[in-house]
Amino acid sequence: MIGLGGLLERNPRLKVFIYAGKGGLGKTTLSAATSVKLSSLGKKTLVFSTDPQASLSDVFEQNVFGRGEVKLAENLYVMEIDADKKINEYVASIKKKIVDMYRLDKLPPDIEEYIDSAAAEPAMYESAVYDAMVDVVSEGRYDYYVFDMPPFGHGIRMIAIADVISKWVEKITELRRQAYEYGRVAASLKKQKLTYEDEILRELEYIRGRILKFRDIVMNSETTAFMTVMTPERMTILDTEKALEMFESLGLRLTGIVVNQVYPPELAKNPDAPAYIRRKVEEQRKYMAEIADKFGKYIIAVVPMLNREPKGLDTLKAVAEELWRPSRRLEEYI
């Protein structure tokens, strides 16, 4: 295991660290710990959550939800977006563009109802969060960016949707361009200007550009480390196998796996340890052997189970050190 430190030494161009995986496995904690370590190296670091279920506020023990970029310590910044607020702002901007574009006094009720209904769709949430992700990376104000992605269903679908929507927008854009050319000739004959057509075409190209930017960030393996988190359990192993198949189908290269919440193996032989803990350790050792066999080439770190909840900067520093330079080899957990 090379740890995150070794990964960065091998890939010095890395700037973006993305943690994906099923919910409840510790993605938020590992994202926070990674940002704590990077910032301690004197690098300006932003940790960013797009997961509505996770809570960086809880892990850092400070309310940062919906407050934009918040400085927590020297070089350490956090952003936990309020997706509902961002969606409302996005919907309001769409309505305003339609009103301005067609020079209306107000939006027709049926169109307003349609837009409001579309805002409730999951795709709107995903669009809002990856738009925010593109914003913070494009600004380039940080040395490192750490993203706590939504669980598998969301994280993977965001990449797939980026590809599907990009092709859809590309097709629509081409049709609009052809219509614009025909319209331009007609307008020339009538000596009219096609301001509306120009604006629609620009808007479609802007949307496509944002989608492609998001996909480029996630899939650039030279600058982005795409990692997944798992625990030594049967269902997690199966989920990770399925995830790897999905990554491959999307052309996405997995950088590494962090195995989290692993009990020290010596607990199995400690007579003072409760019987249920000894059984749990033996069970984990069996699954760690299976993980080493199936995913060994991806494992970069194993993070032990802590004797307290990993909250607050001091506890996160302990997680970060284990993540950065693992204290044990993978074989020692088997």
Side-chain angles (χ1 to χ4, degrees):
M1 295 187 292
I2 60 173
L4 273 183
L7 182 66
L8 199 54
E9 287 168 6
R10 292 182 182 182
N11 304 275
R13 292 189 62 203
L14 287 177
K15 288 183 66 71
V16 179
F17 296 83
I18 296 175
Y19 282 98
K22 188 180 173 184
L25 303 182
K27 285 188 291 93
T28 304
T29 300
L30 295 176
S31 298
T34 299
S35 66
V36 168
K37 181 62 185 181
L38 291 168
S39 63
S40 74
L41 300 175
K43 301 295 183 183
K44 191 176 178 184
T45 304
L46 175 71
V47 57
F48 178 96
S49 176
T50 63
D51 186 348
Q53 303 301 322
S55 175
L56 288 171
S57 293
D58 189 39
V59 171
F60 282 115
E61 297 183 314
Q62 185 172 328
N63 182 19
V64 296
F65 180 73
R67 295 175 54 196
E69 296 171 25
V70 178
K71 184 176 182 179
L72 292 182
E74 189 65 27
N75 295 312
L76 176 58
Y77 296 78
V78 59
M79 180 189 286
E80 193 167 50
I81 69 163
D82 181 343
D84 289 337
K85 180 182 176 185
K86 190 161 182 65
I87 289 170
N88 289 336
E89 291 172 350
Y90 186 53
V91 167
S93 73
I94 290 174
K95 290 178 179 178
K96 184 176 185 307
K97 282 178 182 175
I98 292 174
V99 169
D100 292 344
M101 200 176 292
Y102 292 97
R103 298 174 185 173
L104 303 172
D105 293 329
K106 66 176 184 178
L107 207 60
D110 53 339
I111 293 179
E112 183 160 19
E113 185 179 341
Y114 174 78
I115 294 173
D116 289 339
S117 299
E121 294 291 327
M124 187 67 84
Y125 164 80
E126 293 174 14
S127 174
V129 294
Y130 69 62
D131 209 44
M133 182 174 170
V134 170
D135 274 344
V136 296
V137 175
S138 297
E139 288 176 0
R141 295 189 292 110
Y142 293 87
D143 296 310
Y144 292 112
Y145 301 87
V146 184
F147 290 94
D148 174 22
M149 292 279 273
F152 273 143
H154 288 282
I156 300 301
R157 194 167 59 179
M158 285 166 74
I159 297 165
I161 283 178
D163 194 45
V164 171
I165 293 182
S166 175
K167 289 177 180 173
W168 177 78
V169 171
E170 189 174 350
K171 184 67 177 176
I172 296 295
T173 303
E174 181 55 32
L175 291 174
R176 295 301 306 175
R177 186 174 286 110
Q178 290 176 10
Y180 171 79
E181 288 301 321
Y182 294 136
R184 186 177 61 79
V185 173
S188 176
L189 293 173
K190 296 177 181 177
K191 297 183 178 179
Q192 294 175 344
K193 293 182 179 179
L194 287 178
T195 305
Y196 302 164
E197 301 296 330
D198 272 343
E199 291 176 356
I200 292 171
L201 197 56
R202 275 199 295 270
E203 185 67 15
L204 287 173
E205 288 174 341
Y206 171 78
I207 293 171
R208 184 176 64 163
R210 302 286 289 180
I211 291 169
L212 292 176
K213 182 72 176 177
F214 164 76
R215 192 181 62 182
D216 289 347
I217 291 171
V218 174
M219 300 190 74
N220 188 337
S221 59
E222 289 189 4
T223 55
T224 297
F226 191 87
M227 296 176 292
T228 190
V229 181
M230 64 185 303
T231 53
E233 296 170 297
R234 162 58 35 196
M235 287 306 298
T236 310
I237 292 172
L238 295 175
D239 284 339
T240 303
E241 284 183 307
K242 290 177 183 175
L244 283 173
E245 290 176 8
M246 286 190 284
F247 292 158
E248 190 172 337
S249 69
L250 293 168
L252 182 64
R253 177 177 169 270
L254 182 69
T255 307
I257 293 175
V258 178
V259 189
N260 195 25
Q261 302 171 3
V262 184
Y263 284 103
E266 58 271 18
L267 268 180
K269 297 178 181 177
N270 185 346
D272 296 330
Y276 76 92
I277 290 290
R278 295 201 300 271
R279 284 196 297 274
K280 181 69 177 177
V281 175
E282 289 294 357
E283 185 180 73
Q284 282 200 345
R285 291 178 65 185
K286 180 182 68 175
Y287 289 132
M288 286 301 288
E290 188 173 346
I291 287 170
D293 180 54
K294 291 184 173 178
F295 312 113
K297 68 177 182 178
Y298 294 109
I299 305 296
I300 61 171
V302 174
V303 176
M305 177 73 81
L306 301 178
N307 56 11
R308 55 165 290 189
E309 276 194 282
K311 293 182 179 179
L313 284 174
D314 288 340
T315 308
L316 288 171
K317 286 176 184 173
V319 176
E321 291 307 318
E322 198 67 39
L323 189 59
W324 202 256
R325 300 282 182 211
S327 59
R328 299 181 183 215
R329 293 179 295 113
L330 178 59
E331 293 77 12
E332 294 178 61
Y333 288 97
I334 298 173

